[in-house]
Amino acid sequence: MFPTSIYNAITIMDPKWFDMLEQFKIPYRPEIMINFGSNSVMTMGNAEVVTENFLKKFNFIFSFQLYITEFEDAVADIILPDTCYLERFTPAVSFPSTFSHPQGEDDWGWTVRQPVVQPLYERRDFNVVMLDICKRLGIAHKYYKGLNDTVPMRYGGPMSDKYKLKEDGSVDHTWEDICDRLLKDRFGDEHGLDYIKEKGVFTWPRKKEDVYWKWFNPVRVPVYFEYFIDGGEKISKLMKSYGVGEGHPLDLDWTRFKALADWYPCPSHIEEKNPPEFDMYTFYWRSVIHCNSLTQQNPLLDEMSHEDPYVYAIQMHKDTAKEKGIAEGDWVWIENTAGHRVKGWVALTDGIEPYHLAIAAVAGHWTDYQPIAKGKGTFFNDLVEMDKDHTDPLTLNQDICCRVKIYPV
Amino acid sequence: MPGVGTKTPRLGMVIDLKRCYGCYACVTACKTENFTPPGVFWARVLKGETGEYPNTVRQALPVLCFQCEDPSCMTVCPTGATYQEDDGVVRVDRNKCIGCNYCKMACPYGARYMVEKWESYFPDGLPLSEYEEYAKNRWEEKSGVGVSTKCDFCFERRENGMEPACVRACPANARIFGDLDDPDSEPSILIRDNGGYVLNPEHGNKPKVYYLPTR
């Protein structure tokens, strides 16, 4: 298994997932989905499975989006035009992410986004709209409480009473006020939004203890993960209490809950599960041009993608291609053992293991609303199966290792 | 930072190929600074591959106008539109350029671009947004259509005491800009100590953009 995704397939991708809620006596059913700038039709796994088994089960979906994606095209009832990052305040850009922080001996920094231009057309910041909706529904106090509760969880340490949002309704907080309070709570009275508007960023010196932290922290790295055993026993007992025992389709492989790290082959590496014509592995990589997001609709990045010989191509070893009668630039189908297939053109290279295929980013958009991105690159995630077989029982993360065959279009 | 109006330096650049990982930040910075329309790359990153599996190396090669000492683009210009500033930077006087393309043909490094018709990056047929209007106006002010265009080491930025946009944007500090006449400048030291070289010296143009070896 190569579980790398934060999404889990088993809990949401079964077409009868409402039955699963019934099984575990969960009293409510999700009815409304609010989407913020993501395109989960493309980012989770096989698009048809995600759409039919999961997204279409919601009665109502509204989505904040900068431009229409496959998600809005397929399932959104209402689209609310969002601002781009240059048009809004974001009080914590790179935190609590574990990346995008100053490295080495450089100063620590806290970056804040602020609008440098007014929003085009009638776009509105999703933060402002959500606040507005809560106020109109008369639940602003719940929104304030949610933020008050979230700040200590996400950023660490209690929030000062002085800067907590007033849950009693005595203050009508605006989004800018909320940003100001968060910054002052973290950095002191003098370092609110006015400070950041002038200075742009907070920096402070990094101590040697921060740089060489391993030396100063007497931490021990655990070798045995006993809590997996305890956790597995607890979960197993709980599931049995709901009638999910041995032989039930939802039962997990409890032998994996053990104290020592171990390796189990994923379906792609179990030979009897793969007919001989499925002789290739395909994997996904991120071009630096399109990291962390789906950015093929950005015309500058799209133009640069054409400059790079590999970003929109399926990379294949030249000798393997010759063996299969495939030439540079040929259009091919890549098909997995479940019969899901994706199309793309081949770039021959020596820079890849002979029986592997490399596909960049989550490309291959198909919606007419993204004319720049449409039809460019290959949609890798259509090859990712969303089922229990491809889900790691320990983490419920999804297996993205795909065994495939390749043949000309 | 050497720039316009200071003691006449001989401006040049060093690109450290050990540091460049082909992220295109320089290209993006150039495009957003100079509002170059689609298809125009005053800064460009070429990518190639050498060796056989499993000993294969992929290498990025950033290129731009090399601001040659003896620029053939200037030699062939029939109107004197192409000229050299005192600091050695090769520029184009758009009012003198007749769009004959001789410079484009003469440049051995493919650094010249001619735009026959300004095009938007958003080919949807909708009216231009205010930002596209701004980009179009900026392009027409500086370069325009029907005339030859090229990198000038971000003349306007240098006028304001800033480095070229591609240098500023490089996250790996692979681009080092400075005075090649000053033996103590960073580029001079890097070229001297690390075997700096120019591309295709056989053309005889004496480029002022040097490369440091990949390894």
Side-chain angles (χ1 to χ4, degrees), chain B residues 111-170:
Chain B
R112 290 286 189 143
Y113 290 87
M114 173 78 78
V115 174
E116 297 293 350
K117 181 174 178 265
W118 187 88
E119 289 179 6
S120 166
Y121 265 101
F122 295 92
D124 51 14
L126 297 173
L128 298 182
S129 71
E130 59 185 274
Y131 305 126
E132 287 176 286
E133 286 282 5
Y134 181 78
K136 183 183 180 189
N137 292 339
R138 279 287 306 273
W139 172 257
E140 287 176 350
E141 281 166 20
K142 176 164 179 169
S143 301
V145 296
V147 295
S148 182
T149 74
K150 65 182 287 298
C151 159
D152 59 7
F153 277 170
C154 285
F155 181 82
E156 292 81 5
R157 284 178 60 90
R158 290 187 290 113
E159 271 192 316
N160 290 294
M162 295 183 282
E163 296 173 309
C166 58
V167 177
R168 182 73 183 87
C170 180

Side-chain angles (χ1 to χ4, degrees), chain A residues 62-253:
Chain A
F62 69 96
S63 179
F64 294 94
Q65 198 65 271
L66 193 56
Y67 38 61
I68 297 173
T69 72
E70 285 70 13
F71 177 90
E72 287 76 26
D73 201 1
V75 294
D77 296 288
I78 294 177
I79 305 159
L80 299 172
D82 197 5
T83 48
C84 96
Y85 69 96
L86 295 170
E87 298 170 329
R88 65 171 176 239
F89 282 105
T90 308
V93 176
S94 54
F95 200 87
S97 302
T98 53
F99 48 86
S100 303
H101 293 289
Q103 298 297 311
E105 297 180 359
D106 290 343
D107 288 350
W108 288 111
W110 180 285
T111 46
V112 175
R113 283 187 186 133
Q114 52 184 312
V116 293
V117 290
Q118 289 299 309
L120 276 179
Y121 315 116
E122 295 179 5
R123 297 203 293 248
R124 295 183 70 203
D125 177 1
F126 74 89
N127 294 294
V128 176
V129 175
M130 284 303 293
L131 193 55
D132 200 13
I133 289 172
C134 290
K135 287 175 182 175
R136 291 190 192 192
L137 290 172
I139 56 170
H141 60 288
K142 290 188 177 178
Y143 182 94
Y144 298 154
K145 183 178 187 319
L147 277 176
N148 285 339
D149 292 346
T150 302
V151 169
M153 280 193 291
R154 288 179 71 84
Y155 306 126
M159 200 172 174
S160 145
D161 286 340
K162 184 178 177 184
Y163 294 119
K164 276 185 179 172
L165 307 183
K166 302 298 179 192
E167 297 170 24
D168 59 7
S170 60
V171 178
D172 183 18
H173 296 293
T174 62
W175 178 241
E176 282 200 34
D177 176 36
I178 291 169
C179 295
D180 187 53
R181 283 169 177 268
L182 174 64
L183 294 171
K184 284 177 176 168
D185 181 70
R186 298 291 111 175
F187 298 104
D189 289 348
E190 303 299 313
H191 297 105
L193 209 54
D194 286 341
Y195 176 90
I196 209 74
K197 283 177 182 174
E198 185 186 341
K199 303 287 187 185
V201 64
F202 293 117
T203 60
W204 61 96
R206 192 186 298 243
K207 295 181 289 188
K208 66 178 185 301
E209 290 86 346
D210 298 336
V211 180
Y212 304 104
W213 59 270
K214 284 182 184 172
W215 180 259
F216 293 98
N217 281 290
V219 294
R220 298 179 65 193
V221 178
V223 176
Y224 300 105
F225 299 95
E226 295 94 342
Y227 57 88
F228 273 131
I229 298 173
D230 298 340
E233 286 170 356
K234 282 180 190 167
I235 300 166
S236 169
K237 192 175 168 188
L238 190 64
M239 287 177 72
K240 278 178 184 154
S241 73
Y242 285 104
V244 180
E246 198 174 333
H248 191 282
L250 293 176
D251 192 32
L252 298 176
D253 178 3

Side-chain angles (χ1 to χ4, degrees), chain B residues 14 16 18 183-197 210-213 215:
Chain B
V14 170
D16 188 344
K18 283 192 297 297
D184 296 324
S185 73
E186 194 179 358
S188 295
I189 293 169
L190 286 169
I191 294 166
R192 192 170 59 236
D193 294 352
N194 295 281
Y197 62 93
Y210 286 75
Y211 291 88
L212 301 186
R215 58 187 69 193

